[in-house]
Amino acid sequence: MQVDSPINTFSLKCVTGIHPDTVNRWICNVLKRGVSDLNLFTDFSSTLVKLRITSEHCVDWWWHGGMVGESFSLPMLKSLHIDSGLIFCGEIEEFIPSFPALEELRMASMEWLESDVTVSSATLRRLTLHGTGCENYVNPISVSFDTPNLLFLSYYDLVAEDYPVVNMNKLFHAVINLIVTDKQVKRLREPNNELLLEDDDEEGNVFVHFGNVVKLMNGIQNVQKLSLTADTLEVLSQCSDTLPMFNNLKFLGITSEEGRGWQAMPALPKNCPRLETIILEGLSHYVTDECGDACPCISREDKGRSLSSCPVKRLEIQGFRATMKEMTMIKQFLEYFPCLKRMDVVVEDNEPTQLRNPELSKCVTEMFDLYNKLYPSCSVELMVSPFLQNKWREQGHI
């Protein structure tokens, strides 16, 4: 075949006598020449241990009557990464058994083709499922995880209506991003939303039941490290009264956004009796009456009650912008976290901050000095990188 001629379809069958490096060169060659349909049949695939597939385009990795079948198996494969511009995922409950030794699975930018999804594997140790969160796709009806030996979970996806099975008793670290649209958030905050039982709005959008998210939380309650996004906090507002106790949790990470609420925040600290470290990525959030006593946004008699039972020793606040609201929240944390020994307030290199104003910067520094005097049991430190300090100095800000 000509060296530079384009290739649309390429099939290769190797049984014996061909070195894998040679096959690899052939495959790389046809990929460079724009192949769109690639079929491989090799006998040495049975020894494959690690497989990574990367594409800037759509990957339809399995389908009815396609790759999945009795003849398809990678019996030694332990690690599978699929990164693509978009992955269409169907029949995953039939796909995963093709890898009986699989310990790590990562799929990014994915969309489910099935409305009921079950991820089942007794061998998986690490699982990363990142959906696109695109509003053009509907929320799955149900998502189940039957993964009894899973140690790490990173799960980003539109919220499912139900999580009927969540078997993760050995889970150590979880990163959860339950994606909701702005329209769904608006409905969540409406009075008498009835937990968004399926209903059509005037534009024909279907809103789903989010209260069953508590089943997912129940299934991961043994974790020692947990990170939740701003969307997830908003969703957990629908089941904050029934959240489980996280008796093993030592590390809690929370990401905040101005358009998402903190309604679930009061329940989290008091449900974590062994919590040691909290990292807050930003303090800005949508203020509601149900933010509770975790923040001072709304004056209330029981201010700080949920914090006072939390044993956290270290608190890190990232993305500090030196606003008055942030300073007030920092003071509340110092007052009501009874075991707090260390607070690091981090100014990010690329984030906007009022500390570029020399007078305000001096005022904030003095306030932090005062905090250290008023609360001597806790070390409070404003952390600015040397790069940012030098940049401000060059610009005459400090």
Side-chain angles (χ1 to χ4, degrees), residues 319-320 346-353 356 383-389 391-392:
F320 180 64
V346 182
V347 181
E348 307 291 348
D349 287 352
N350 298 319
E351 288 286 338
T353 175
R356 289 182 174 85
M383 305 184 72
V384 181
S385 70
F387 169 79
L388 198 55
Q389 288 183 9
K391 185 176 180 180
W392 290 355

Coordinates of all heavy atoms in Angstrom, one line a residue, residues 319-320 346-353 356 383-389 391-392:
G319 N -8.7 30.0 47.7 CA -9.4 31.0 46.8 C -9.9 32.2 47.6 O -10.9 32.8 47.3
F320 N -9.1 32.6 48.7 CA -9.5 33.7 49.5 C -9.4 35.0 48.7 O -8.4 35.3 48.1 CB -8.6 33.7 50.7 CG -8.8 34.9 51.7 CD1 -10.0 34.9 52.4 CD2 -7.9 35.8 51.9 CE1 -10.3 36.0 53.3 CE2 -8.1 36.9 52.8 CZ -9.3 36.9 53.5
V346 N -5.7 30.5 52.0 CA -4.8 30.5 50.8 C -5.3 31.5 49.7 O -6.5 31.5 49.3 CB -4.7 29.1 50.2 CG1 -3.8 29.1 49.0 CG2 -4.3 28.1 51.2
V347 N -4.4 32.3 49.3 CA -4.7 33.3 48.2 C -4.1 32.6 46.9 O -2.9 32.4 46.8 CB -4.0 34.6 48.4 CG1 -4.3 35.6 47.2 CG2 -4.5 35.2 49.7
E348 N -5.0 32.3 45.9 CA -4.5 31.7 44.7 C -3.9 32.7 43.8 O -4.2 33.8 43.7 CB -5.7 31.0 44.0 CG -6.5 30.1 44.9 CD -5.8 28.8 45.3 OE1 -4.8 28.5 44.7 OE2 -6.3 28.1 46.2
D349 N -2.9 32.2 43.0 CA -2.2 33.0 42.1 C -3.0 33.7 41.0 O -2.8 34.9 40.7 CB -1.1 32.2 41.3 CG 0.1 31.8 42.2 OD1 0.1 32.4 43.4 OD2 0.9 31.0 41.8
N350 N -4.0 33.0 40.5 CA -4.8 33.5 39.4 C -6.2 33.9 39.8 O -7.0 34.3 38.9 CB -4.9 32.4 38.3 CG -3.6 32.0 37.7 OD1 -2.7 32.9 37.5 ND2 -3.4 30.7 37.5
E351 N -6.5 34.0 41.1 CA -7.8 34.4 41.5 C -7.9 35.9 41.8 O -6.9 36.5 42.3 CB -8.2 33.6 42.8 CG -8.5 32.2 42.5 CD -9.9 32.0 41.8 OE1 -10.7 32.9 41.9 OE2 -10.1 30.9 41.2
P352 N -9.0 36.6 41.5 CA -9.1 38.0 41.9 C -9.2 38.1 43.4 O -9.8 37.3 44.1 CB -10.5 38.4 41.2 CG -11.2 37.1 41.1 CD -10.2 36.0 40.8
T353 N -8.6 39.2 43.9 CA -8.5 39.4 45.3 C -8.4 40.9 45.6 O -7.7 41.6 44.9 CB -7.4 38.6 46.0 OG1 -7.4 38.9 47.4 CG2 -6.1 38.9 45.4
R356 N -4.8 43.1 46.5 CA -4.0 43.9 45.7 C -4.0 45.4 46.1 O -3.2 46.2 45.7 CB -4.4 43.8 44.2 CG -4.1 42.4 43.7 CD -4.4 42.3 42.2 NE -4.0 41.0 41.6 CZ -4.7 39.9 41.7 NH1 -5.8 39.9 42.3 NH2 -4.2 38.8 41.1
M383 N -1.8 32.6 53.6 CA -0.7 32.0 52.7 C -0.8 32.6 51.3 O -1.8 32.4 50.6 CB -0.9 30.5 52.7 CG -0.9 29.8 54.0 SD -1.1 28.0 54.0 CE 0.6 27.6 53.4
V384 N 0.3 33.3 51.0 CA 0.4 33.9 49.6 C 1.7 33.4 49.0 O 2.7 33.4 49.7 CB 0.4 35.5 49.7 CG1 0.6 36.1 48.3 CG2 -0.8 36.0 50.4
S385 N 1.6 32.9 47.8 CA 2.8 32.3 47.2 C 3.9 33.4 46.9 O 3.6 34.6 46.7 CB 2.4 31.7 45.8 OG 2.1 32.7 44.9
P386 N 5.1 33.0 47.0 CA 6.2 33.9 46.7 C 6.1 34.6 45.3 O 6.4 35.8 45.1 CB 7.5 33.0 46.7 CG 7.1 31.9 47.6 CD 5.7 31.7 47.4
F387 N 5.6 33.8 44.3 CA 5.3 34.4 43.0 C 4.4 35.6 43.1 O 4.6 36.6 42.5 CB 4.8 33.3 42.1 CG 4.3 33.8 40.7 CD1 5.1 34.1 39.7 CD2 2.9 34.0 40.5 CE1 4.7 34.6 38.5 CE2 2.4 34.5 39.3 CZ 3.3 34.8 38.3
L388 N 3.3 35.4 43.8 CA 2.3 36.4 43.9 C 2.8 37.6 44.7 O 2.5 38.8 44.4 CB 1.0 35.9 44.5 CG -0.3 36.7 44.3 CD1 -0.5 36.9 42.8 CD2 -1.5 36.0 44.9
Q389 N 3.5 37.3 45.8 CA 4.1 38.4 46.6 C 5.0 39.3 45.7 O 5.0 40.5 45.8 CB 4.9 37.8 47.7 CG 4.0 37.2 48.8 CD 4.8 36.7 50.0 OE1 6.0 36.9 50.1 NE2 4.1 36.0 50.9
K391 N 5.0 39.6 42.5 CA 4.3 40.2 41.4 C 3.6 41.5 42.0 O 3.6 42.6 41.4 CB 3.2 39.3 40.9 CG 2.4 39.9 39.7 CD 1.5 38.8 39.1 CE 0.7 39.4 38.0 NZ -0.3 38.3 37.4
W392 N 3.0 41.4 43.2 CA 2.4 42.5 43.8 C 3.4 43.6 44.1 O 3.2 44.8 44.0 CB 1.7 42.1 45.1 CG 0.4 41.3 44.8 CD1 -0.1 41.0 43.6 CD2 -0.4 40.6 45.8 NE1 -1.2 40.2 43.8 CE2 -1.4 40.0 45.1 CE3 -0.3 40.6 47.2 CZ2 -2.4 39.2 45.8 CZ3 -1.3 39.9 47.9 CH2 -2.3 39.2 47.1

